[in-house]
C-alpha cells in the first residue's frame, strides 16, 4: 500500500497535487471564483489534508505564485535563461505560446493576481508587485549588457509592451498576439543601440 493510500491522500504527493489543482482552477476560473473545497476535490485530497498543507486560501495563493515564479514558466522565465543571448531573452518576452488544447489563453499570472487582490498592502498584491519590479530589473540588466542607451527607460518600455501584449492576448484569446509587441520591441532596441561607426 502506498503512503498516499495509507494516509488518505496525505502522502508526499498531496502538496504537489493541491498546487497542480489550484493552478488549473485559478487559470480557468480565476482565484477568487475558486473555493478551497473545489481545490480539494480537484486534487483529490480531503479538506483536512488541504488545510494541513495550507492553513488559508491566501497561503495557497502565495505558494502557487511562488511556484510559478520559480518554475520559469511565466513571461519572466525567459529572461534568466543562460542558453540565449541577451537580445533573444528580451524578445522571448513576446513569445506567448499557445496553451494546451482546451485551456484559455492567460495573461500574466502576477497581473491577474494583483487584479483579484486590489489592496496594495495584501500579501498577494505585494508579491505580484515584487515580481513585476524584478522583471524590469532583469530587462534592464540585459539592455545594459547590450550597450543600449537609457537602459532604465528602455526596460520600462519593453516590460510595458510585454505586459500589454500578454493582457491583450488573454482578452482576445490570441496566443500569437505577442508578434505585434515583438515588432515594436525590435524597433525600440534598434534605436537604443549605440550607432556603429
Amino acid at each position: 500500500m502506498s503512503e498516499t493510500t495509507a494516509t488518505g491522500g496525505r502522502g508526499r504527493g498531496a502538496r504537489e497535487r493541491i498546487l497542480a489543482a489550484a493552478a488549473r482552477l485559478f487559470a480557468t476560473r480565476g482565484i477568487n471564483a475558486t473555493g478551497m473545497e473545489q481545490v480539494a476535490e480537484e486534487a483529490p485530497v480531503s479538506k483536512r489534508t488541504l488545510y494541513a498543507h495550507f492553513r488559508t486560501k491566501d497561503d495557497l495563493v502565495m505558494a502557487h505564485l511562488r511556484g510559478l515564479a520559480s518554475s520559469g514558466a511565466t513571461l519572466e522565465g525567459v529572461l534568466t535563461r543562460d542558453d540565449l543571448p541577451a537580445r533573444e531573452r528580451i524578445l522571448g518576452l513576446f513569445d506567448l505560446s499557445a496553451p494546451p488544447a482546451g485551456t484559455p489563453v492567460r495573461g500574466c499570472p502576477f497581473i491577474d493576481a494583483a487584479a483579484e487582490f486590489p489592496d496594495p498592502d495584501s500579501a498577494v498584491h505585494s508579491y505580484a508587485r515584487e515580481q513585476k519590479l524584478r522583471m524590469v530589473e532583469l530587462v534592464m540588466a540585459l539592455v545594459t549588457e547590450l550597450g543600449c542607451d537609457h537602459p532604465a527607460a528602455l526596460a520600462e518600455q519593453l516590460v510595458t509592451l510585454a505586459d500589454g501584449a500578454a493582457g491583450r492576448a488573454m482578452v482576445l484569446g490570441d496566443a500569437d498576439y505577442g508578434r505585434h509587441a515583438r515588432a515594436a520591441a525590435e524597433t525600440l532596441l534598434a534605436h537604443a543601440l549605440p550607432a556603429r561607426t
Side-chain angles (χ1 to χ4, degrees), residues 71 97 100 102 113 154 171:
S71 72
S97 300
L154 179 59
V171 172

Side-chain angles (χ1 to χ4, degrees), residues 75-149:
L75 281 180
E76 296 86 348
V78 72
L79 298 173
T80 59
R81 287 181 53 182
D82 293 332
D83 61 324
L84 294 174
R87 185 175 184 279
E88 288 309 306
R89 287 191 231 176
I90 294 165
L91 294 177
L93 286 171
F94 307 100
D95 177 11
L96 305 176
S97 300
T103 59
V105 175
R106 299 301 299 168
C108 171
F110 304 118
I111 292 177
D112 292 347
E116 292 206 51
F117 290 80
D119 178 356
D121 295 325
S122 73
V124 172
H125 195 103
S126 295
Y127 186 76
R129 180 172 53 247
E130 286 172 23
Q131 293 307 304
K132 301 319 289 183
L133 292 172
R134 178 175 178 266
M135 183 180 178
V136 174
E137 290 170 5
L138 291 169
V139 172
M140 188 162 63
L142 293 172
V143 296
T144 299
E145 181 183 327
L146 289 173
C148 292
D149 294 331

